[in-house]
Amino acid sequence: MNNARRKEIEKITADLEEIKERIEALQEEEQDAFDNLPESIQYGERGDKMQSAIDNLEYAADNIQDCLDNLCEASE
């Protein structure tokens, strides 16, 4: 791989790392909000929706990490 393509991968990697950090921050905020709910709400419909959002944010961050790993391997 030539230097121009490696530099482009570096830029994409930096963008993805920032996006991953933002998603993880949102996940933490949602988890904190969930943890501060009364148990009666945590186990209700609202709590289920919040837990689903938390899980989906975690899944998204994990998938971005997979992309970062693949980009790293591609640039070697």
Side-chain angles (χ1 to χ4, degrees), residues 39-61:
E39 283 188 24
S40 60
I41 295 176
Q42 285 182 354
Y43 295 111
E45 183 179 343
R46 181 176 175 197
D48 288 344
K49 287 182 180 181
M50 290 177 78
Q51 188 60 56
S52 179
I54 293 163
D55 294 343
N56 284 313
L57 290 167
E58 180 179 16
Y59 183 71

Side-chain angles (χ1 to χ4, degrees), residues 20-73:
K20 181 181 174 229
E21 289 173 9
R22 290 170 53 196
I23 291 170
E24 290 171 337
L26 286 171
Q27 178 191 2
E28 288 177 20
E29 288 175 23
E30 190 70 4
Q31 183 68 58
D32 288 343
F34 177 83
D35 291 343
N36 288 319
L37 290 174
E39 283 188 24
S40 60
I41 295 176
Q42 285 182 354
Y43 295 111
E45 183 179 343
R46 181 176 175 197
D48 288 344
K49 287 182 180 181
M50 290 177 78
Q51 188 60 56
S52 179
I54 293 163
D55 294 343
N56 284 313
L57 290 167
E58 180 179 16
Y59 183 71
D62 289 346
N63 282 320
I64 292 173
Q65 184 59 55
D66 290 343
C67 290
L68 290 166
D69 294 342
N70 290 331
L71 287 169
C72 180
E73 288 182 31

